[in-house]
Amino acid sequence: MLNDFNFSIPNSFTPNGDNVNDYFKVEGINAQSFNGSIYNRWGDLLFQWDNISASWDGKSKGELLPNGIYIAQVSIENKTEVKKIKVMVEH
């Protein structure tokens, strides 16, 4: 039996405190390993995580970042394959 290996990555979120779409979160099933990073347009690392259950709240060093376009780089793998993706995220 093959394990389903599915995940989704949002392309926008609104961290404005209204409890609707406040976090950038990668959703997935059957992931063995996960790494994610968020960068600004100059390539500065703003946030990094290695647990698919974690999420980004739009902050760096405790401060909410301005609305804009950020780059999310995600690596997710299961027993048989690795998927690496970069997406532009609007915040």
Side-chain angles (χ1 to χ4, degrees), residues 44-48 56-65:
D44 299 323
L45 179 64
L46 303 174
F47 183 74
Q48 196 168 29
W56 180 45
D57 60 2
K59 296 179 182 177
S60 181
K61 299 178 184 173
E63 296 291 323
L64 185 62
L65 296 169

Side-chain angles (χ1 to χ4, degrees), residues 2 4 11 13 17 28-29 31 33 50 59 63 70 72-73 75 89:
L2 295 174
D4 287 336
N11 62 3
F13 73 116
I29 60 170
S33 173
D50 62 5
K59 296 179 182 177
E63 296 291 323
Y70 297 87
Q73 182 173 318
S75 174
V89 179

Side-chain angles (χ1 to χ4, degrees), residues 9-20:
I9 301 173
N11 62 3
S12 65
F13 73 116
T14 55
N16 58 9
D18 68 355
N19 293 320
V20 177

